Amino acid sequence: MGINNRSKREMERVSEAGYSLLEILVVLAIIASLAALVGPRLIGQVDKSKVTTAKVQIEMLETALTDYYTEVGILPNASEGLEVLVKNVTNHDRWRGPYLDIDAGESLPLDPWGSPYQYRPPSGPGQIGTIFSMGADRQIGGSGQDADIS
């Protein structure tokens, strides 16, 4: 009889120690409801932060391009592009770069969507040109998250 009583007590402790399937399902339902409410807002914030990051990086590139122009005296053409900020691609005597704070061997930063920033030379005097990101769709034009950022 001692063995049966002991086994019965052990069985009661084991059943009290775990969670029932119903309790687990209720917790999962609560987590799923929270994810459904918070998820879309969180994704929207990530998209906004990518646009903000692109704008900040474009300002950094514009500053570096202004520094380049101040030292070298000319702006890059379309084929040279922004590469002149990290390499002396024109073998210009007055080039004192790199004009971006990057480690040796690194290249230009990519936009938040993993594409290179684009450069369009100036159309008139007193301008440095246009630096832009093509946005999430990686194509010129678009609207919303796909809009170009400059």
Side-chain angles (χ1 to χ4, degrees):
M1 274 197 68
I3 293 176
N4 281 341
N5 287 339
R6 185 173 171 200
S7 297
K8 194 174 183 181
R9 274 185 271 151
E10 286 177 8
M11 296 274 289
E12 287 174 1
R13 269 190 286 160
V14 168
S15 66
E16 290 174 6
Y19 295 106
S20 72
L21 180 60
L22 182 60
E23 290 170 323
I24 292 172
L25 290 175
V26 167
V27 169
L28 288 175
I30 292 170
I31 291 172
S33 298
L34 288 174
L37 291 172
V38 175
R41 285 187 163 189
L42 185 61
I43 290 170
Q45 292 301 320
V46 169
D47 291 339
K48 284 181 187 177
S49 69
K50 285 184 177 185
V51 170
T52 302
T53 300
K55 287 179 180 180
V56 168
Q57 286 181 329
I58 288 169
E59 287 178 20
M60 175 192 67
L61 291 167
E62 287 173 345
T63 300
L65 190 59
T66 301
D67 292 346
Y68 170 83
Y69 176 70
T70 301
E71 284 191 359
V72 178
I74 58 171
L75 288 165
N77 59 38
S79 64
E80 295 164 349
L82 297 173
E83 198 66 27
V84 299
L85 300 176
V86 293
K87 295 179 191 166
N88 190 1
V89 295
T90 59
N91 293 319
H92 204 284
D93 297 354
R94 290 185 271 170
W95 192 87
R96 302 286 180 260
Y99 296 93
L100 291 173
D101 187 21
I102 59 173
D103 293 331
E106 284 189 35
S107 60
L108 290 165
L110 299 176
D111 71 10
W113 298 276
S115 297
Y117 284 97
Q118 305 298 307
Y119 172 70
R120 189 176 301 130
S123 58
Q127 301 173 347
I128 64 164
T130 305
I131 300 170
F132 63 98
S133 165
M134 293 185 283
D137 67 351
R138 297 183 172 106
Q139 296 179 12
I140 292 180
S143 61
Q145 290 300 317
D146 296 335
D148 296 347
I149 301 160
S150 61

